[in-house]
Amino acid sequence: MLKLRLKRCGRKQPVYRIVAIDVRSRREGKDLQKVGFYDPIKNQTYLNVTAILYFLERGAQPTGTVQDIFKKAGVFKELRSNQTKN
């Protein structure tokens, strides 16, 4: 099973990558694909929406924090509109 979760990159200041990763891997383990970036200090977010939708359609589960980030960005609205088109 896949998860979309945060992977910490910043050493002094917390900066995170949003990655698709196997559930059995550790937080800093090898990821399948990087699908986004999140900086909580500057409140900046970069999302590769096509890659995120690809993983969500195939059953990947976002963690709670990642789900909140996706809600703010409107990713789930795009997921619903893609599902109604097909």
Side-chain angles (χ1 to χ4, degrees), residues 4 7 27-29 31 34 36 41-42 50 53 57 59 61 64-66 72 75-78:
L4 295 171
K7 184 175 182 180
R27 183 186 73 179
E28 306 304 324
D31 52 75
K34 297 172 184 74
I41 303 295
K42 297 178 183 174
T50 55
L53 293 177
E57 288 170 353
Q61 297 294 316
T65 307
V66 173
K72 287 180 185 175
V75 172
F76 294 116
K77 292 177 186 175
E78 292 186 34

Side-chain angles (χ1 to χ4, degrees), residues 22-86:
D22 188 29
V23 206
R24 296 167 289 188
S25 298
R26 347 178 261 140
R27 183 186 73 179
E28 306 304 324
K30 185 167 171 61
D31 52 75
L32 296 173
Q33 185 176 359
K34 297 172 184 74
V35 296
F37 173 83
Y38 174 61
D39 184 354
I41 303 295
K42 297 178 183 174
N43 203 16
Q44 292 179 337
T45 307
Y46 165 76
L47 299 174
N48 184 350
V49 178
T50 55
I52 291 168
L53 293 177
Y54 172 82
F55 284 111
L56 287 175
E57 288 170 353
R58 278 147 187 80
Q61 297 294 316
T63 60
T65 307
V66 173
Q67 191 170 6
D68 292 341
I69 293 169
F70 288 171
K71 281 181 185 175
K72 287 180 185 175
V75 172
F76 294 116
K77 292 177 186 175
E78 292 186 34
L79 179 65
R80 284 191 210 114
S81 67
N82 281 354
Q83 289 177 346
T84 57
K85 288 179 186 178
N86 293 335

Side-chain angles (χ1 to χ4, degrees), residues 10-25:
R11 220 173 141 189
K12 292 185 179 182
Q13 295 180 348
V15 177
Y16 300 93
R17 284 191 181 134
I18 301 171
V19 296
I21 195 166
D22 188 29
V23 206
R24 296 167 289 188
S25 298

